[in-house]
Amino acid sequence: MVKLYLRYKQQPSFGVITSAATNVVLDTAGTLVYAPQLEAIGIIHAKQGIQLATLRDNALPASAHVTRIALSPNALHLAAGYSDGSIRIWNVKTYTIVATFHGHRAPISALTYDRIGARLASGSSDTDIVLWDIVAETGLFRLRGHKDQVTCLRFLSLNGLDHLVSGSKDTLVKFWDLATKHCVETLVTHRGEVWALDIHPLTETLLFTGAADGQIRVWAIDPSALSAKVDGLSENAAVATTGRDSTQSPALASATTMIGNLERQSKERILTLKMDPRGAFLAIQGADRLVEVFKMRSDAEVEKKLERRRRRLRRDGNDAAADQVSASVDDRLPKFTTIRCTAKVSSFSFAASAATAGSVAADASSSAQPSAPLRVVCSLANNSIEVYELVNSAEAASAADANTARLLTTVDMSGHRSDIRALALNSGDDLLVTGSSDLIKVWSTRTRQCLKTMESGYVLCCAFIPGDKQVVVGTKAGELQLFDLASSSLLESIQAHEGPIWSLQVRADKQGIITGSQDKEVRVWDLRLKQDDAFSKIAKRPTLVHVRTLKMSDDVLCVKQSPDGRLLAVALLDSTVKVFYYDTLKFFLSLYGHKLPVISMDISSDSSLIATASSDKSVKLWGLDFGDCHKSLHAHEDSVMACQFVWGTHFLFTASKDKTLKYWDADKFEQVQRLEGHHGEVWSLAVAKYGSFVVSGSHDRSLRLWEKTDDQFTLEEERERLLEEMHEREAAAADSKQDMPIGSGAPDAGENIGNGLHEVGAAGTKTADTLKAGEKIMEALEVWEKERGDFDKYDRLRARNVDVAPPPRSPFVIATGKPDMLPEEYVLFVVSQIRSSQLDEALLVLPFSQVIGLLKCVAFWIEKGWSTRLTSRILFFLLQTHHHEMTSTRALRPVLERIRRATHHELKEHRDRVGYNVAGIQFLQREYESRHSSFFGDDSTTADDAAADKSSGKSKGADGGKNKKRKRTIKVVS
């Protein structure tokens, strides 16, 4: 009889505040923090420090996690790049996915929106840059040229430019012309990996770059020289390269000029470099705890400083030097303050608001005087977030030791600062205690919320005391620390061993605990009550009393007592397991066979089996009657860190440093299920008493809970599912080898960029979803071909006999709920169900014989005027892809002529409709301007004048409102 098992399904992870390897983003108002939390994104209130919502895609592969996020200029959409190369666009108001893009085969490493949020550029570890159309939800094109991971991207949209700036680990910074889809300039000055760059948000004429050497280079961008390079390319001129001496024509002249370097306090490599949206501050973060902030001075402030310097030189009699004084980078960008965080900074962010049109038109220097404080959010490597406020005051800027960065909020309560080394469940499986290097936390397994946090030593093992009111932990210093949950306090700290306590277990009689330590001793402790006035003057508190000691020949790594209380198993550093009688502590069995030490072990509830998990990647099952090895399982690809039986069964769970958990049947010696989800080594494991759920703690600081479901399966079905996943991965790997990017074994960039063969490519990639979408289109075309033949035959018969019965409809058409739809309408229905981002790749799956049928459907759609936008997109894509085949196929000429006539008619109607709408919008604009226009322009005060008055310190009350001409407006009433 085939044995059925119940599947375990992963629930949302908890315990993670922010991922260390990704970036955080602050919203426009500075109130919401978007923090990646492994595979999810948390939305945290910056001032209250509480998590408001979580963005999580349940269809995401178990091994994928967020690697980069970017907020759109209108703060409505959040683009998230994942480790599997996919990009998801989230609506942050409704918490739903707007679009999904697949264009990379490696983790996303850079994301940026353009100024209006209509386009998104993505860079990846596969060295490619892909441009996406957010409105049409499709990929535009792919740019190749870098030879290593793309680390940063920025758009250039002002000054008549439409360019993209990219930095990479190949030490290059490239300028791409998006109209011609070519690289027009390359900066080769950097001698190390370029990790960060940014553009001045208001003028886009200053470029800041940070590389592995820790220097901040400042460049001036010449927009006219950059736009002139397009003409040079059309004349087959070589691309200008900064750093080479040559006689340069206007087309070859360098568009970037290095101004100088900024001196930093930190010598670590630069990880993040950003300017705030108002162009007032430049902040740099390296691989340490510092975030250094520089202030952008206005032209007036710079000139005032230079004038003071000239007067000083003239006073000293050095008139020649005074005449040659000029502004340096340090004069323009002086050090403002240094934010010192409590731990290593992984990323930071300013408010993400884009510059307004009025700010862009104004001078950058005058806009560099923000009135409101600026918030900076810092994501720390210890799983916490800190929010600071920068106060831009002249007094604070002039004081050398002024603390101008004020800490507003720290978000650290709902997660550990370091790896979760130990965890344990209480007797009712509703509370979970976890321990790390300095904290223990108590969680609710139902709500997955942190209930209590207590400071402790370096926790190696932990357990609930019988009664579930106290928790005992074993530390690296050899102490047993007893905590009371009601008062959230440390009751007692006992120096139990001279070395780290590696293992701790509650005795089978519930009257005490057993500990094993590196000091080669196993100690038995009794649980007793003790009068302690500091705890209570009435009630006694529990304490632990040492009663027996078992000395071993080597370090003790794990101890385990059988559930019946008869045997005590001790795992030693010499890779053996010694079994003793618990009552007399006499030797009973020696289990040897592991090549490396046993780290964890467990005994089944009937005390008949013992499972030992070792660093040699194996799990061995032994009988406790004779000590014979029933089976040795090659369980994992790395050290097995924990194992535990389900009570009342011989089902076994194991956890390993290979980031997985596995579910085993110890009677059949078979793997039942593989549980994936962690992104770091799994250190600890706890199983609910009757196997209703499993909890694990990991190096990624996450706690994951797998619940048992009612979904039944057999071992054969699970094997087939794993084989299908493996074949899909192999197929994707084979496709990536056929289309390898530059720098991954393909010909060198210098050989091919001249003729443009490899620099531009298609945006999308083939995935399992696009293959399935292509198969759906082929099935729909087969249904259309059969039904169209039946309908044509029916029309011919009906011309002779009116009483002929119509042909039966296809079950696929009936399943749509519209059994009366035409065959061509059914094909359109199927195509419209495919995601816009997957449509191009799905159409590539079609063989040319199916393309002919699809063209006939397209002709019918155009004549009927159905979904003109979708129809046009499909038509243009097919024409571009199969142009040569279509022109050489005589049978397609009538269809193409039919499409040409119908398309001309439809396009003319759309042109007239668009022209009518544009004329209406222009009329409304004129009407609005006439209603809000001001007459007597000399008497009115313009916005520029108001901004000038504000920057010069004038206010309405300065002169009592005198000599101020009143603004007169006349409203046009219709």
Side-chain angles (χ1 to χ4, degrees), residues 301-315:
E301 290 174 337
V302 173
E303 187 59 34
K304 191 180 299 182
K305 183 176 180 63
L306 295 179
E307 187 60 32
R308 285 198 301 267
R309 190 179 301 168
R310 292 189 189 102
R311 285 200 302 267
R312 195 181 308 118
L313 290 172
R314 290 192 182 99
R315 193 183 315 118

Side-chain angles (χ1 to χ4, degrees), residues 388-530:
Y388 292 87
E389 191 172 68
L390 298 181
V391 181
N392 185 24
S393 61
E395 294 80 7
S398 61
D401 56 349
N403 184 15
T404 55
R406 182 167 58 94
L407 179 63
L408 288 182
T409 312
T410 300
V411 184
D412 60 357
M413 290 300 295
S414 58
H416 282 279
R417 307 283 77 76
S418 57
D419 295 12
I420 300 172
R421 289 287 177 174
L423 51 84
L425 290 165
N426 69 338
S427 58
D429 295 333
D430 56 348
L431 291 179
L432 172 71
V433 61
T434 59
S436 62
S437 62
D438 57 349
L439 296 173
I440 66 166
K441 288 180 176 286
V442 181
W443 309 77
S444 169
T445 57
R446 293 188 178 91
T447 63
R448 293 186 283 278
Q449 297 294 321
C450 180
L451 305 179
K452 295 179 183 296
T453 300
M454 293 165 278
E455 293 185 357
S456 68
Y458 196 114
V459 179
L460 297 177
C461 50
C462 61
F464 278 92
I465 294 294
D468 297 336
K469 294 182 179 180
Q470 290 84 26
V471 172
V472 61
V473 301
T475 69
K476 197 172 184 178
E479 295 180 341
L480 283 175
Q481 294 182 336
L482 193 63
F483 292 89
D484 181 62
L485 296 184
S487 61
S488 301
S489 61
L490 175 65
L491 294 180
E492 188 177 5
S493 181
I494 305 169
Q495 189 63 44
H497 291 271
E498 296 179 358
I501 301 175
W502 292 111
S503 183
L504 178 154
Q505 190 202 4
V506 178
R507 284 163 28 194
D509 58 4
K510 309 296 183 185
Q511 299 300 313
I513 64 172
I514 305 172
T515 60
S517 170
Q518 187 177 321
D519 62 3
K520 306 179 183 179
E521 289 185 353
V522 177
R523 295 192 175 187
V524 182
W525 304 78
D526 275 351
L527 188 62
R528 298 179 185 175
L529 296 177
K530 174 183 177 181

